[in-house]
Amino acid sequence: MSRKTLVTCGLPYANGPAHIGHLRTYIPADIFVRSLRKQGRDTVFVCGSDAHGTPIVINAEELGITPSELVEKYHDHFDQVFKSLDIIFDEFGSTESQTNHNRTIDIVNRLIDNDHVFLKSIELAYCPTCGRFLPDRYVEGTCPDCGATARGDECDQGCGKHLEPGEILEPVCKICRSKAEYRVQEHFFFRLSDFKDFLSDHLDKLEGTLNARNYALGWINNELNDWCITRNLEWGVRFPDHEELVVYVWVDAPIGYISFTEDWANRHGIDWKEYWMNPGGDTDIIHFIGGDIIYHHCIFWPAMLKGAGYTLPRAVVASGMVKIGDKTFSKSRGYVVWVNDDYLDKGFHPDLLRYYLASYTSHTKELNFSWKIFQEKVNNELVGTLGNFIYRTSLFAYKNFGAVPDGEIDPEVVKTIEDAKNSVIESFNEYEFKKGIDAAMSLASFGNSYFQSNEPWKSIKTDAPGAKKTIRNCLHIVKALAILFEPAMPKLASEAWRQLGMESDSELSNTPYDEVTVEIKAGQTLLKPSMLFTKIEDSKIAEMERSLDDRVLMATKKKHVSFEEFSELDIRIGTIVQAEPIKKSKKLLKLMVDLGETKARQIVAGIAETHNPDDLVGRQVAVLANMKPAKLFGVESRGMILAADHDGAILLSPERKVRAGTCVR
RNA sequence: AGCGGGGUGGGGUAGUCAGGACAUCCCGACGGGCUCAUAACCCGUAGACCGAUGGUUCAAAUCCAUCCCCCGCUACCA
């Protein structure tokens, strides 16, 4: 009896649509699952919506709907997107479900019973203006450790450390921007510090990608802070016996992995405990996640499972982030490619995106999305190499024979297919998706080469049996290609399979890898071949690039201002009378500027990288004189020097010398 | 300045954890071939002292140390 495998994907947060960054995790996970099944492994694949947490509450409030309605909307959206891309979960649930609530309560109770939870009074940020406690990401302030601006429950911009409520200094309410205050509250804590030795052990054995393990190992060398696991919120899973508290979203979210398995198992009359309450049993749990939630999956989650007596994951596979034009994805700045609006709705085939995302670079590396490279990969690799080989072979066979001709299968072909198969299996099993796809692609290259060197178009006129043999070999390779490419491109591989006259489409996904060694049946009727892959036109790519540019432009576009509003700005010409660097600062200069006032103004300007202080003295520049005074590097600045912003600062000067203090309008 | 991610032929990228013989693949350049195929495909040529320096080793892109540069976020770009 073979081992059972449970594969999970990090839960999409149900408060916004899917972008291609999400897919970096889900597509490889789906490839992995399909590949396991092709090896005959008993595999379950679950995922679901992350439904709780404050952002959903706030978002729903703004839309005038209930959190539940909002969650349902995006849950359906993700469900549709995943299906469109052939990412097929056995269960796609929601952490809002009753099963998840029950499971969460069970685990929390077990943690309490096992003495891993304690009560403590802490100070919590409370916004007097909004009239509510501000959990997590609605508090902004300073990280107590590194001094960077920290938001939410982690110092996301600075040291990356997880922060407890109340740790952030100088809290500000992010919703209304007013100053928050700390109030004392009683909350429950999970004693993570108890698990240090256990985690050290666990991480040693943890499989998956190195980025996940190394990141986590780095953490457990430091002090492990206990986690506050309750929040003052209405929306979420009620903490046992405490009506006013809800468990922290990072407690009930991963528990979704369990409850989704439960729901799936119950539907199929299977005991879910075989997967989750059977430590040391014959089940492997593998988590696919984005690189941004490694801490939660490698530290917090295993400790929780251990503390509650559940089965631990065997592997954590963390994907690299997706960027656009070297910029981090950002909705607000327009750097985003939506799966529906920008891809599927534009008529692109889902398999092309699957191929591109999985084969562009290593799974753990950053992927810089580019329409241009997407086009290159599709046109050269998919169309030029794979598509062309399949098409030239099928068409030649169909036109000349109408069926699979007879002829001996070449030992060289057998060997090459066997090697490709082994390489594909091994690579996918090691989460090396690019490597696996490249191995399959090199079989297509071999096919082209084989076709070319055997010249069946010549031999058919002089040596019919020779031509038949060549074509049967090529068709045999096509069959192997369909099988090997099915995990990465299920739809197109199935189409190739169908055109070969193999059994029905749906069966390709159940066809084991080993089928590649079974010789294609001579005499099998071939269907009229059609082109599987078509080139993407330059104009289409130009259109996509333009729409991305437009979005960035829209995002940075400023609103109209009235003349009155403009008049609020006091812009004047000033003469620089003194300039000196600010110590310890690379970019800043301290300037004294004559604005026609009795005393020169002290202004700090970020132009040190482009301008030499000595060259500035005597120059006239445009100055925003009523800029609110601020301290930079401890130096007061009372104004702002205006400059064109292009590869550094290009100062604005009047056409000819004017009196200092002359108004600009 | 802090944190994170990178520096491999003209562009992109593999290989770095487990060090080894001509450094991978895609594009681009150049030359040839072929015509079954989606001007495709096949063959060949040129092009990289693997960011720098030092170390470990019989052997380093790969391990160690130091440094430089680029990108992202943040900070002090007022």
Side-chain angles (χ1 to χ4, degrees), chain A residues 14 129 149 230 299 345 467 498:
Chain A
T129 317
T149 298
T230 45
I299 306 273
D345 293 352
R498 198 183 64 82

Side-chain angles (χ1 to χ4, degrees), chain A residues 409-568:
Chain A
I409 298 292
D410 228 311
E412 186 199 6
V413 169
V414 172
K415 170 93 169 67
T416 308
I417 289 175
E418 184 71 26
D419 289 350
K421 181 196 82 171
N422 291 334
S423 177
V424 166
I425 293 174
E426 192 182 329
S427 302
F428 286 166
N429 283 348
E430 288 170 358
Y431 321 109
E432 299 278 4
F433 300 99
K434 178 192 168 51
K435 212 172 171 181
I437 290 174
D438 283 354
M441 191 55 79
S442 65
L443 177 61
S445 287
F446 168 81
N448 272 321
S449 198
Y450 185 87
F451 195 110
Q452 184 79 13
S453 55
N454 283 294
E455 304 183 313
W457 60 91
K458 277 186 186 163
S459 56
I460 190 144
K461 291 167 189 159
T462 55
D463 167 28
K468 284 182 175 175
K469 182 193 158 203
T470 302
I471 293 306
R472 180 160 185 241
N473 275 279
C474 286
L475 287 167
H476 186 236
I477 294 171
V478 171
K479 174 175 165 248
L481 285 170
I483 294 168
L484 296 180
F485 270 109
E486 190 270 340
M489 298 187 287
K491 272 209 176 72
L492 293 169
S494 293
E495 181 54 22
W497 188 252
R498 198 183 64 82
Q499 290 184 12
L500 281 177
M502 306 300 295
E503 304 82 60
S504 73
D505 295 1
S506 60
E507 300 209 3
L508 179 59
S509 57
N510 300 327
T511 304
Y513 280 127
D514 285 341
E515 181 79 14
V516 297
T517 53
V518 177
E519 293 186 2
I520 189 163
K521 229 189 308 165
Q524 179 167 297
T525 310
L526 297 167
L527 274 65
K528 185 174 197 299
S530 62
M531 288 186 290
L532 261 31
F533 302 92
T534 48
K535 286 209 169 180
I536 298 173
E537 299 299 326
D538 291 349
S539 58
K540 183 81 178 174
I541 291 302
E543 179 197 328
M544 296 316 297
E545 283 174 336
R546 209 176 319 116
S547 91
L548 183 58
D549 289 347
D550 283 355
R551 184 169 297 143
V552 172
L553 223 58
M554 289 290 284
T556 51
K557 204 164 138 192
K558 309 219 161 98
K559 68 174 175 86
H560 288 289
V561 295
S562 65
F563 182 74
E564 285 71 29
E565 285 168 304
F566 173 74
S567 303
E568 299 276 309

Side-chain angles (χ1 to χ4, degrees), chain A residues 27 34 58 64 66 88 114 131 147 156 160 168 236 239 260 292 389 428-429 453 548 575 651:
Chain A
I27 287 173
R34 288 171 185 272
I58 305 280
T66 65
I88 309 297
N114 294 337
D156 57 343
I168 290 184
F239 193 83
F260 305 153
D292 53 342
F389 172 65
F428 286 166
N429 283 348
S453 55
L548 183 58
T575 307
L651 294 174

